[in-house]
Amino acid sequence: VENPYIVVVTKESYLNSINVLHHIKNDGIFILNTNKTIDEIKESLPNNIKKDIVDKNLKFYIVDANAIALNNNIKNKISLIMESVIMKLSDLLDYKLYETKINDYLEEKFSNKSHSIIESNINAIKNIKVEEVIIIDYIANENKYLKTFVEMVNSKKGDKLKVSDFLDKKDGIYEAGTSAQEKRMISDNVPKYLKNNCIECNQCSFVCPHGVIRPYMLSEDEYNKAPDYVQEKCKKSIDPKLKDRYFTIGISIKDCTGCGLCVKACPGKQNEKALVFSSLLNELDENSDKAFDYLSKNIKPKGDINLNTIKGSQFKEPKFAFSGACAGCGETPYIKLLTQLFGDSMIVANATGCSSIYGGSVPSTPYTIPWASSLFEDNAEFGYGILIGNNVIRNRVKNIMLNSSVNDQNKELFDKWINNMNDYIITKEVYDNLDYYDLPIELVELKDYIPFRMVFTIGGDGWAYDIGYGGIDHVLSSNENVNILVLDTQVYSNTGGQTSKSTPLGSIAAFSAKGKSQNKKNLAKMALAYPQVYVAQVSLGYNGTHLIKAFNEAAKYDGPSIIIAYAPCIEHGIEGGMENSIYMEKLATESGFFPTFRYNPETKVFNLDSKNVNFDLYEEFLNKQNRYKMLSKVNKEHAEELIKLNKENAIATFEYYKKLSEEI
Ligand SMILES: Cc1ncc(C[n+]2csc(CCOP(=O)(O)OP(=O)(O)O)c2C)c(N)n1
Ligand code: SF4
Ligand code: SF4
Ligand code: SF4
């Protein structure tokens, strides 16, 4: 559609970045979903939007679809409401006819769901209130230039970029960390920090999938130097060992997706939460960005805090933040934590899947460490290739060092490097202190390879269990130091939830509309068949400490490692939505659905981290997800049997791990 007659905008924040009315027809209709009043919208509407409304003689209407959805128990489900508004305001269809037809449509669409969902949707449509806004003027001659490549693409003006704008990108290398520039403001509700209720546990930051909420511990000096708008958010630390420190939580509210995980996880003090939801509009003020920016630029983690704990790890800056993953995504907290633990000492090779899409929606990149994506089917080989390439070049660096005559300072640093080639801290120190004027030119050209970097190969279960399994097997059979992280959503999430070999028996997924009829593949068991492979299964919401241990052990182990991480996804249809994703991780392991363990070939110890599982919770866990709940409706005949077999498989698998933990 090049010249639409109707433009519907479902998120007000789009108005600031996209010229939504640029191509609309004269006398057309513009519909905006907003919680603002007519007066407020007249005040806040960007000038270019006002100009188009006036110049093109548009009819402009507002509707608060989110409030209508909330009041009618279909929280955040606004598409049907917006479609109905279009029907109301256009002459596409007689509205009375539409109202009667929509009932039939809803009955059919939600035939698998409870009748209350149909009623809620019908009530929502009945309660639609649309208001017309009259805009009569705008500021003439206002000229706004978009400065950067990223701004141009994000504001849908990529077609205006010239070939010469791409010259520095011709090898596919893009600026890192650009998602931080987006400030998408996609959530109307964001967390507000109530410092007096805070017990400094850092759980909020640990669970945030988007790197939006972060803790900071300020020294007395840092506190004294901080501007008022930062100081007023700080409180004296309650940690008796850190009495001279000040603690605060920074929130980049414009990047918040409103997933609710932080608010849910916050224990607060005496049942009073330290995070509560507040409207974005209330929280936005001239200092809302400044405080977060100040804290992230100026306050660094302190050496006397153990950074390898849940609490300590959160003081480290994530090198993966503000991605475009779904609100509450179960995959991203794992990647975020990985980058907090290892930061600049890692390189990511990414399989195609959700993680490559939110990981590299060029020009939006959430990573600030080296990251590359090849294909769906070859990521293990891709990561392996990066490692082998790195090793070859680093051996060349070693040979140059061994055969060059340099000054005493460099000679000493060369010796240090040669003896500690695979230690990031020491090799980085060498990199920082070399006298580059004294080095042979071929070594200067290879200087990026002086710091040691480990390779993490990341992807989903579709990649690891199915399409890329041959490569995974090949890499695991080697003795090379490749680390594999499988984000196990148990379906092909990115393409709409298709069945993978990780999908459990009885689970509903695309291509398994009546519940999967085959057993789930046990990838961990297959990896355990190789004696030299580090293997772990982890679940962030069950036990973050075990997860940190697994990441550290895999990174330290000088051989192949594979970590399979349970990751809830929107495709699971979790009761209450993705704000329960962390809770579902906990229940998955507690109920025996997803046992967690770590096997380390160095010690030959198999640690069954989830020792005391309670299979009585199994049905409760399954029934909190539509992928199982719907089975009795779509496959009445076999539902009971499938669920029974599913549980029997889980019990047998757990018994197998239990035996291993007793034997090895
Ligand atoms: C060879 C090939 N087949 C199919 C696709 C399409 N495709 C892209 S992502 C994806 C699913 C990825 O699923 P998974 O590996 O489980 O990752 P998730 O999206 O769940 O994170 C598919 C089928 C592709 N890119 N390449
Ligand atoms: S609501 Fe979600 S995205 Fe926003 S800060 Fe909390 S956890 Fe992060
Ligand atoms: S989860 Fe709550 S109590 Fe814990 S650090 Fe965050 S705000 Fe404070
Ligand atoms: S589809 Fe699932 S895995 Fe993909 S971003 Fe959304 S929640 Fe995450």
Side-chain angles (χ1 to χ4, degrees):
V1 178
E2 290 187 354
N3 298 104
Y5 172 61
I6 302 178
V7 168
V8 183
V9 174
T10 51
K11 285 234 175 273
E12 203 185 320
S13 53
Y14 297 157
L15 301 184
N16 296 319
S17 53
I18 306 169
N19 198 347
V20 292
L21 301 180
H22 197 52
H23 297 289
I24 192 171
K25 280 189 171 39
N26 285 348
D27 306 317
I29 296 176
F30 169 40
I31 305 167
L32 175 67
N33 172 31
T34 173
N35 61 358
K36 291 196 176 121
T37 63
I38 291 182
D39 285 343
E40 284 168 347
I41 205 73
K42 280 183 172 173
E43 182 82 27
S44 65
L45 213 57
N47 190 53
N48 62 326
I49 301 284
K50 286 183 179 167
K51 182 174 184 310
D52 278 330
I53 293 175
V54 175
D55 289 354
K56 297 183 178 181
N57 192 31
L58 305 180
K59 289 255 181 213
F60 174 31
Y61 300 95
I62 56 172
V63 58
D64 190 350
N66 294 80
I68 298 169
L70 191 66
N71 294 338
N72 291 284
N73 304 321
I74 51 167
K75 194 177 149 196
N76 297 334
K77 300 273 185 298
I78 62 163
S79 53
L80 190 71
I81 299 172
M82 296 308 288
E83 281 158 25
S84 304
V85 173
I86 297 172
M87 292 301 169
K88 227 181 179 85
L89 297 174
S90 67
D91 50 9
L92 287 171
L93 207 69
D94 173 63
Y95 195 67
K96 284 247 153 16
L97 178 68
Y98 170 76
E99 275 188 310
T100 44
K101 288 276 175 201
I102 201 73
N103 287 6
D104 303 342
Y105 165 76
L106 287 170
E107 294 276 356
E108 197 192 318
K109 181 174 176 192
F110 296 119
S111 60
N112 291 338
K113 308 224 162 131
S114 91
H115 198 74
S116 65
I117 297 184
I118 301 174
E119 275 170 19
S120 300
N121 276 283
I122 292 174
N123 286 338
I125 295 172
K126 274 192 192 139
N127 288 313
I128 287 173
K129 186 179 156 218
V130 183
E131 293 176 296
E132 184 169 2
V133 187
I134 310 289
I135 302 285
I136 47 169
D137 56 6
Y138 60 87
I139 306 164
N141 304 325
E142 193 199 48
N143 231 342
K144 251 188 155 183
Y145 291 104
L146 294 171
K147 292 176 288 298
T148 65
F149 183 90
V150 177
E151 279 177 348
M152 287 292 281
V153 179
N154 284 343
S155 57
K156 310 273 182 280
K157 290 197 163 66
D159 57 336
K160 300 281 180 297
L161 288 166
K162 301 183 292 301
V163 171
S164 56
D165 292 326
F166 286 83
L167 282 180
D168 62 343
K169 297 171 178 60
K170 56 185 183 291
D171 52 5
I173 295 177
Y174 280 80
E175 195 187 336
T178 47
S179 60
Q181 294 174 31
E182 288 183 343
K183 306 287 173 219
R184 295 181 294 147
M185 292 199 283
I186 57 168
S187 179
D188 299 328
N189 294 309
V190 295
K192 177 190 176 83
Y193 180 52
L194 307 174
K195 62 182 180 183
N196 295 331
N197 295 339
C198 177
I199 60 162
E200 301 169 22
C201 64
N202 295 358
Q203 286 288 342
C204 49
S205 167
F206 194 67
V207 301
C208 176
H210 309 283
V212 167
I213 185 162
R214 301 181 195 169
Y216 295 92
M217 190 67 89
L218 288 77
S219 66
E220 201 151 23
D221 186 42
E222 284 171 334
Y223 174 79
N224 290 334
K225 281 185 191 148
D228 292 351
Y229 56 82
V230 170
Q231 281 188 355
E232 67 194 26
K233 290 183 191 294
C234 296
K235 65 187 195 82
K236 273 245 172 204
S237 172
I238 56 167
D239 188 333
K241 286 185 270 141
L242 305 170
K243 269 202 178 114
D244 56 338
R245 303 264 171 89
Y246 290 80
F247 182 91
T248 190
I249 290 287
I251 310 175
S252 182
I253 55 172
K254 288 183 183 167
D255 293 302
C256 176
T257 65
C259 73
L261 282 171
C262 58
V263 176
K264 198 123 204 175
C266 175
K269 205 187 271 174
Q270 288 154 356
N271 287 333
E272 293 287 332
K273 290 217 180 245
L275 292 171
V276 290
F277 263 127
S278 172
S279 120
L280 175 68
L281 290 178
N282 286 348
E283 297 308 305
L284 275 180
D285 62 32
E286 49 170 334
N287 295 325
S288 46
D289 283 344
K290 281 204 281 184
F292 183 84
D293 286 350
Y294 183 88
L295 287 163
S296 55
K297 276 192 196 112
N298 297 290
I299 312 302
K300 298 289 167 231
K302 313 284 179 282
D304 55 358
I305 295 175
N306 182 355
L307 301 176
N308 279 320
T309 58
I310 294 179
K311 178 171 172 173
S313 62
Q314 296 313 299
F315 290 118
K316 293 180 82 176
E317 185 195 13
K319 299 276 175 174
F320 166 80
F322 318 130
S323 78
C326 303
C329 173
E331 291 191 351
T332 49
Y334 290 105
I335 306 179
K336 192 193 69 173
L337 177 66
L338 199 62
T339 69
Q340 283 173 305
L341 294 176
F342 308 121
D344 292 334
S345 68
M346 62 185 275
I347 296 173
V348 178
N350 214 131
T352 306
C354 278
S355 52
S356 71
I357 304 306
Y358 57 64
S361 298
V362 169
S364 172
T365 51
Y367 283 95
T368 50
I369 48 172
W371 178 93
S373 173
S374 173
L375 297 169
F376 190 32
E377 60 270 37
D378 71 356
N379 190 48
E381 298 91 320
F382 184 52
Y384 191 53
I386 292 174
L387 177 79
I388 302 296
N390 241 12
N391 289 349
V392 168
I393 297 175
R394 295 187 90 234
N395 274 331
R396 199 180 303 155
V397 169
K398 185 175 167 185
N399 282 333
I400 298 171
M401 285 188 179
L402 286 170
N403 296 307
S404 308
S405 55
V406 288
N407 64 29
D408 289 350
Q409 177 197 333
N410 280 346
K411 180 85 196 79
E412 202 176 305
L413 290 168
F414 280 6
D415 288 344
K416 207 170 176 182
W417 189 87
I418 290 164
N419 292 324
N420 300 280
M421 265 178 82
N422 294 342
D423 180 317
Y424 174 73
I425 296 178
I426 298 179
T427 52
K428 177 71 173 41
E429 196 188 304
V430 170
Y431 172 87
D432 288 338
N433 290 300
L434 281 169
D435 173 3
Y436 284 89
Y437 291 108
D438 175 55
L439 294 185
I441 184 72
E442 61 266 46
L443 186 54
V444 177
E445 280 167 3
L446 298 177
K447 70 179 184 352
D448 286 350
Y449 294 87
I450 292 175
F452 169 74
R453 288 197 175 89
M454 63 187 138
V455 178
F456 263 91
T457 308
I458 299 179
D461 49 285
W463 160 64
Y465 284 69
D466 288 4
I467 313 291
Y469 176 69
I472 298 232
D473 179 63
H474 185 67
V475 168
L476 292 183
S477 74
S478 78
N479 290 329
E480 298 294 340
N481 189 5
V482 176
N483 306 291
I484 297 172
L485 172 62
V486 182
L487 302 160
D488 196 352
T489 58
Q490 307 193 329
V491 278
Y492 288 34
S493 299
N494 193 244
T495 37
Q498 289 83 11
T499 305
S500 81
K501 289 194 191 76
S502 173
T503 307
L505 186 96
S507 187
I508 298 172
F511 303 139
S512 301
K514 293 193 171 242
K516 192 181 169 209
S517 52
Q518 301 88 16
N519 281 323
K520 174 182 162 55
K521 167 173 171 175
N522 190 336
L523 181 62
K525 191 172 174 181
M526 294 168 90
L528 282 165
Y530 287 115
Q532 88 292 5
V533 176
Y534 179 94
V535 187
Q537 280 202 166
V538 292
S539 178
L540 184 139
Y542 174 69
N543 194 318
T545 307
H546 293 159
L547 168 63
I548 291 173
K549 271 190 191 160
F551 279 163
N552 276 325
E553 287 169 358
K556 196 164 157 263
Y557 176 57
D558 189 14
S561 71
I562 181 162
I563 298 176
I564 303 172
Y566 184 62
C569 166
I570 50 164
E571 297 294 339
H572 296 182
I574 294 172
E575 190 178 288
M578 291 303 280
E579 69 175 340
N580 292 320
S581 64
I582 299 287
Y583 172 66
M584 290 306 282
E585 288 166 2
K586 184 170 180 282
L587 202 53
T589 301
E590 280 177 353
S591 66
F593 178 86
F594 193 87
T596 55
F597 62 81
R598 290 167 289 126
Y599 172 70
N600 193 338
E602 256 171 355
T603 57
K604 305 221 177 322
V605 174
F606 184 97
N607 276 300
L608 184 59
D609 287 327
S610 53
K611 286 190 183 61
N612 303 315
V613 308
N614 180 359
F615 279 100
D616 290 345
L617 298 171
Y618 204 81
E619 284 76 13
E620 183 189 334
F621 170 75
L622 296 188
N623 285 328
K624 282 187 183 298
Q625 301 165 77
N626 277 339
R627 59 177 173 150
Y628 296 109
K629 204 158 79 184
M630 285 305 127
L631 204 56
S632 57
K633 296 207 167 148
V634 297
N635 192 354
K636 271 197 190 102
E637 206 186 333
H638 299 114
E640 210 175 302
E641 177 69 3
L642 286 171
I643 295 291
K644 188 172 147 268
L645 289 174
N646 177 308
K647 187 171 176 178
E648 278 172 13
N649 276 346
I651 293 172
T653 307
F654 183 72
E655 286 305 318
Y656 167 74
Y657 291 139
K658 209 164 147 204
K659 250 201 203 121
L660 285 186
S661 72
E662 287 155 6
E663 278 169 14
I664 320 182

